[in-house]
Amino acid sequence: VQLQASGGGLVQPGGSLRLSCAASERIASLDVVGWYRQAPGKQRDFVARMFKGGTIDYTDSLKGRFTISKNIAKNTVYLQMNSLNPEDTAVYYCHARRNRFGADYWGQGTQVTVSS
């Protein structure tokens, strides 16, 4: 699965961004699609994901500010990020897996910088 992330950029604190992740395969057939992020000098952390059966997970600290969604017709997954703060600065990666025990696929990452 090839994943192409886009939509990152520089935003002021309190602002919003919507990230997009275009997949080379039908996202409706993928076991899971989602987002992770990696801040400078830190490990890659889970942000949000959607399972094939409809379950959606978020990391607890981001619930209410971030929303994951998908457009099946466009094979694209989105991450709407609101009320951004400097701690949200990171490279955001989209992720997918074809099936439960399959390989992990990653997009190239898109930089999000929250700064005044």
Side-chain angles (χ1 to χ4, degrees):
V1 183
Q2 293 183 341
L3 303 169
Q4 181 72 38
S6 61
L10 175 64
V11 61
Q12 292 187 341
S16 298
L17 277 177
R18 189 178 79 158
L19 306 183
S20 299
C21 175
S24 61
E25 299 183 11
R26 292 176 60 248
I27 59 172
S29 66
L30 298 173
D31 177 63
V32 62
V33 291
W35 293 92
Y36 288 69
R37 69 183 184 182
Q38 187 167 16
K42 296 187 177 181
Q43 67 181 18
R44 191 173 297 186
D45 291 329
F46 166 70
V47 174
R49 63 189 173 190
M50 304 178 73
F51 287 93
K52 186 177 181 179
T55 300
I56 294 177
D57 289 332
Y58 295 95
T59 193
D60 286 344
S61 62
L62 299 177
K63 286 180 180 178
R65 291 199 300 122
F66 287 18
T67 303
I68 189 171
S69 62
K70 62 184 177 183
N71 184 321
I72 293 176
K74 294 185 177 180
N75 288 325
T76 300
V77 179
Y78 304 99
L79 184 69
Q80 177 67 42
M81 306 185 295
N82 299 327
S83 302
L84 288 163
N85 59 65
E87 288 68 42
D88 297 315
T89 295
V91 178
Y92 285 71
Y93 296 91
C94 55
H95 166 264
R97 201 171 55 223
R98 285 198 181 102
N99 53 65
R100 185 175 180 180
F101 302 105
D104 293 302
Y105 295 91
W106 297 94
Q108 85 287 3
T110 185
Q111 176 71 47
V112 172
T113 302
V114 185
S115 175
S116 56

